[in-house]
């Protein structure tokens, strides 16, 4: 089946904005939310900056019984799911439970919850370890908790492929709707800003060690030296367009029009990385040509080698400076599995307003033949947007988001 799958609701929790309106207001003016870590003392670590969500208190949004069961990642995801349903004008209890499903992505799972329980084990003994540790750390816990809280007993799944996972989850949700599901809640969240999670992220060797929030995360800049991690993500309510029309959905943001994914060849093989092919597959799936794409939301790895690979892929598909490119994640840091869903949100809002958000703090290197939007937002008629994401280990994914008007 090739049913049109549309976004009818959004829930977002990002370092620069909680909720659609706050996020977009901050993004369109270039609000930088990167700063020194406050969730623990980072002074002993080589990297000390992150994109944190400030002021979030789970008890303000969720029943008290859920708090001891859940990691911060899941608390953010549950809150975003509530917002997404409200935004879509959907009360899950009013829909058949087997018509609704959940597909989320997670890179790390509930790291902070796991750290706290391991500390209890080492310092106090096994009798002090919570029974909820059995699932609160797990990659699939967001899908499970969202489905339980909302009575959703249809297709449920989790995707684990780092940054690319957020797009892979949305694509899997689209497939399920085309197979007959009426509604899928999909996207990604991560929140691993804790000592244990921080050490794991540092082990990847790509995190910036700069202490200057304005110069730490600089994709496509001559001074690029790594990325800054962040926490948060977004969840989307995805529906069959005709079903959404029949129920009277009032807030259709856009269509998930195309998707492509590839895996990079073995290092040292001499073969081309898979990103270009993923983009081409997404365009073909959407039935569009490169000239139909009005903006690219870049993966923006922030390391010279990976930036070069992305710039070359974009140039190969669109030509030198052939399409505006932006990376609003420079305001938030890279949110792992939450990053690409947040970019999808930025894409549909850019389509709605006719405004491409800019890449903050970056001075584009002449080495890259791309039209990077910097300095200020760029007014533009946006009909089709491409979102690109890559994950550790060679995952590449791309999604075409199309306006509905």
């Amino acid at each position: 089946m090739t049913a049109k799958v549309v976004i009818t609701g959004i829930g977002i929790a990002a370092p620069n904005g909680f909720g659609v309106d706050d996020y977009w207001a901050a993004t369109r003016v270039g609000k930088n939310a990167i700063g020194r870590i406050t969730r623990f003392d980072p002074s002993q670590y080589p990297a000390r900056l992150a994109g944190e969500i400030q002021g979030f208190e789970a008890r303000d949004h969720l029943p008290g019984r859920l708090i001891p069961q859940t990691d911060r990642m899941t608390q953010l995801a549950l809150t975003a799911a509530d917002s997404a349903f409200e935004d879509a004008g959907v009360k899950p209890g009013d829909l058949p439970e087997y018509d609704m499903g959940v597909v989320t992505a997670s890179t790390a799972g509930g790291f902070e919850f796991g750290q706290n329980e391991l500390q209890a084990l080492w310092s106090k003994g096994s009798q002090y370890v919570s029974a909820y540790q059995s699932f609160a750390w797990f990659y699939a816990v967001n899908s499970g908790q969202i489905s339980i809280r909302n009575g959703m007993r249809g297709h449920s799944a989790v995707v684990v492929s780092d940054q690319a996972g957020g797009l892979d989850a949305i694509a899997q949700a689209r497939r399920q709707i085309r197979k007959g599901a009426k509604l899928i809640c999909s996207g990604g969240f991560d929140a691993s800003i804790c000592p244990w999670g921080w050490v794991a992220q540092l082990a990847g060797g790509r995190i910036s060690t700069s202490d200057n929030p304005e110069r730490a995360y600089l994709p496509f800049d001559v001074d690029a030296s790594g990325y800054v991690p962040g926490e948060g993500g977004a969840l989307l309510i995805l529906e069959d367009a005709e079903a959404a029309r029949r129920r009277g959905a009032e807030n259709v943001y856009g269509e998930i029009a195309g998707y492509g994914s590839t895996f990079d060849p073995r290092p040292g093989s001499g073969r081309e990385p898979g990103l270009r092919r993923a983009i081409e597959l997404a365009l073909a799936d959407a039935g569009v040509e490169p000239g139909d794409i009005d903006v690219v939301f870049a993966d923006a790895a922030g390391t010279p080698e990976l930036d070069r690979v992305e710039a070359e892929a974009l140039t190969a598909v669109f030509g030198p400076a052939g399409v505006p490119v932006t990376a609003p994640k420079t305001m938030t840091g890279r949110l792992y599995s939450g990053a690409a869903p947040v970019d999808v949100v930025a894409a549909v809002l850019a389509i709605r307003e006719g405004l491409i958000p800019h890449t903050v703090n970056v001075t584009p290197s002449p080495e890259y033949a791309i039209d990077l939007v910097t300095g200020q937002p760029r007014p533009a008629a946006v009909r089709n947007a491409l979102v690109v994401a890559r994950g550790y280990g060679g995952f590449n994914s791309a999604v075409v988001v199309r306006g509905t008007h």
Side-chain angles (χ1 to χ4, degrees), residues 30 38 42 96 159 190 216 226 229 238 241 248 254 266 269 279 292 316 332 342 346 354 372 395:
T38 63
V159 179
D190 269 301
L238 301 176
R266 176 180 56 82
S269 67
I279 294 170
D292 297 320
T332 64
V342 168
L372 192 66
F395 298 96

Side-chain angles (χ1 to χ4, degrees), residues 19-30:
V20 173
D21 292 342
D22 284 350
Y23 168 74
W24 187 240
T27 299
R28 67 194 308 279
V29 299

Side-chain angles (χ1 to χ4, degrees), residues 121-213:
L121 173 66
W122 296 333
S123 62
K124 299 178 182 179
S126 59
Q127 67 271 30
Y128 292 93
V129 176
S130 169
Y132 298 122
Q133 166 67 358
S134 61
F135 60 79
W137 71 272
F138 192 46
Y139 306 104
V141 67
N142 289 350
S143 290
Q145 289 284 17
I146 292 168
S147 62
I148 292 168
R149 177 166 167 77
N150 295 286
M152 306 167 76
R153 301 184 69 181
H155 180 82
S156 182
V158 64
V159 179
V160 183
S161 49
D162 192 30
Q163 303 270 144
L167 295 183
D168 297 336
I170 291 169
Q172 186 175 140
R174 185 179 71 147
R175 285 195 294 271
Q176 292 304 317
I177 290 172
R178 287 179 166 180
K179 289 179 179 179
K182 298 298 187 293
L183 179 152
I184 303 284
C185 178
S186 185
F189 266 87
D190 269 301
S192 299
I193 302 179
C194 60
W196 190 28
W198 202 244
V199 170
Q201 292 171 77
L202 287 169
R206 297 179 184 172
I207 293 181
S208 171
T209 57
S210 170
D211 283 322
N212 183 349

Side-chain angles (χ1 to χ4, degrees), residues 7 13 43 71 137 177 212 243 288-289 305 320 328 375 382:
I7 303 166
S43 57
D71 180 75
W137 71 272
I177 290 172
N212 183 349
V288 298
E289 299 296 327
E305 174 60 21
V382 181

